[in-house]
Amino acid sequence: GWLFLASTSHVYAPGSAASSAPLPESAPLGPGTFYGVSKLAGERLAQPILDRFDVAYAVGRIFSFSHANQSPPYLVPSLAASISALPDGGELELRSASAVRDIVDAETVIDAVLHLARLRVRGVLNIGSGQGRTVADIAQRVAEKLGRRIRLKPVGGDAGNSLVADVSTLRRVIARGLGQ
C-alpha cells in the first residue's frame, strides 16, 4: 500500500512579496492561520505513526489551485463572482492585491498525485506550478476571461506575502519515473 497525505503550502512561513522566491520543501515552517496550523499538526501526527508501521507515504504540500467547478470562498471563483457583479469598467476593491500566489489547475494537482502514487514516492513534496502571480494579476486575468474591463482598488492592510512552490523535487521524481 501507499498513502498520500494532502497538506498545504500554508504550513510554510510565507516569504515577502518583494522576493517571491519559490519555497523548497526545506523552507522554514511557520503557519500563520488555523488552517496551516491544523495541516502541520496532521503531518506531525501522521508521520511517526506511518513510519512505525512502515507504511509507504508521501506528504503533498499543495499550493493554490482552482477548477471550473470550484465555488467561493476560493480565490478565483470569488474574484469571478465579484467581477461579474461589477458594471464593465467598474472598480474592484481588492484585499491582499500584492500577495503572490502559485495557482494551478486542480487537474494538474490530481495528475501529480496519481504519478506519485504510481511511483510510490516517499517524502514531502511541493505541488504547484512553480510560478507566482500577484492577486491583482490573477484578478485581471479572471476579468479578461470574463471579457470584462475592471479597475483595481487595493484596500485594507495589504498582506503582501508570497507562497510560491519550488517544484524541482516533484519534477525530478516524476521525470525519473517516466524514464526521462
Side-chain angles (χ1 to χ4, degrees), residues 119-138:
L119 299 169
R120 293 177 47 93
V121 172
R122 291 181 182 230
V124 176
L125 297 106
N126 288 333
I127 300 175
S129 71
Q131 300 175 343
R133 300 196 188 289
T134 64
V135 171
D137 184 45
I138 294 167

Side-chain angles (χ1 to χ4, degrees), residues 30-82:
T33 64
F34 179 77
Y35 175 69
V37 169
S38 68
K39 285 294 196 173
L40 184 56
E43 286 185 31
R44 289 184 173 161
L45 288 169
Q47 288 173 335
I49 295 167
L50 296 169
D51 289 340
R52 180 168 188 261
F53 292 100
D54 198 29
V55 174
Y57 69 94
V59 175
R61 291 186 177 153
I62 302 169
F63 283 65
S64 297
F65 63 90
S66 188
H67 188 270
N69 294 336
Q70 204 174 36
S71 58
Y74 292 98
L75 177 62
V76 172
S78 294
L79 289 170
S82 296

Side-chain angles (χ1 to χ4, degrees), residues 1-164:
W2 180 83
L3 180 110
F4 180 76
L5 179 65
S7 190
T8 177
S9 61
H10 293 278
V11 300
Y12 293 116
S16 74
S19 73
S20 65
L23 299 164
E25 290 84 354
S26 60
L29 301 176
T33 64
F34 179 77
Y35 175 69
V37 169
S38 68
K39 285 294 196 173
L40 184 56
E43 286 185 31
R44 289 184 173 161
L45 288 169
Q47 288 173 335
I49 295 167
L50 296 169
D51 289 340
R52 180 168 188 261
F53 292 100
D54 198 29
V55 174
Y57 69 94
V59 175
R61 291 186 177 153
I62 302 169
F63 283 65
S64 297
F65 63 90
S66 188
H67 188 270
N69 294 336
Q70 204 174 36
S71 58
Y74 292 98
L75 177 62
V76 172
S78 294
L79 289 170
S82 296
I83 292 166
S84 295
L86 291 173
D88 197 40
E91 184 175 82
L92 177 66
E93 291 187 352
L94 191 60
R95 296 195 190 302
S96 303
S98 67
V100 177
R101 292 295 177 264
D102 179 330
I103 191 160
V104 68
D105 184 75
E107 299 294 331
T108 302
V109 174
I110 293 166
D111 288 345
V113 174
L114 290 174
H115 281 300
L116 296 174
R118 186 179 59 77
L119 299 169
R120 293 177 47 93
V121 172
R122 291 181 182 230
V124 176
L125 297 106
N126 288 333
I127 300 175
S129 71
Q131 300 175 343
R133 300 196 188 289
T134 64
V135 171
D137 184 45
I138 294 167
Q140 287 291 359
R141 288 172 180 259
V142 169
E144 288 170 17
K145 284 203 178 261
L146 294 172
R148 306 297 296 276
R149 290 176 302 116
I150 60 169
R151 291 174 290 118
L152 295 177
K153 178 183 177 185
V155 296
D158 194 11
N161 59 31
S162 174
L163 285 172
V164 179

